Amino acid sequence: MTEILEHYLTAARRRVAQLELSLGGAVMLLFVTVTARWERVRATSDRGSESVEKAVLVAIGLAVAIGLGVAIRAVVQQFQGQIK
């Protein structure tokens, strides 16, 4: 019985690690794409470059806020029994 439980726990840990790597890759891809777009717009001396710069900063801030929210929620759910 404990072998089955250990097998499921190991599989769950693997899935969580795969999910973390996938999300990390997606965030890195998004960052690279936005950075490349920003550099192209800046290279063309577009007058709207300030708004693009602000949009990039807002997008990065939003990604960080969402990540922190997910992390905090995961910690609260993990230790919910101890919080009471």
Side-chain angles (χ1 to χ4, degrees):
M1 184 70 163
T2 58
E3 291 178 15
I4 295 172
L5 183 59
E6 287 179 21
H7 174 71
Y8 284 130
L9 287 174
T10 303
R13 287 186 188 117
R14 261 190 215 139
R15 295 292 182 207
V16 168
Q18 288 174 347
L19 180 63
E20 288 174 353
L21 289 173
S22 297
L23 289 175
V27 168
M28 292 298 286
L29 182 62
L30 175 67
F31 182 74
V32 168
T33 304
V34 169
T35 303
R37 171 75 176 138
W38 181 28
E39 289 175 0
R40 268 186 302 190
V41 169
R42 298 284 291 188
T44 61
S45 299
D46 188 9
R47 293 179 186 255
S49 62
E50 289 84 12
S51 62
V52 172
E53 191 172 318
K54 289 177 187 175
V56 168
L57 292 175
V58 169
I60 291 171
L62 183 61
V64 169
I66 291 172
L68 285 174
V70 169
I72 290 170
R73 183 176 173 153
V75 169
V76 168
Q77 286 181 349
Q78 184 177 2
F79 296 109
Q80 192 170 11
Q82 296 175 4
I83 293 174
K84 292 179 182 178

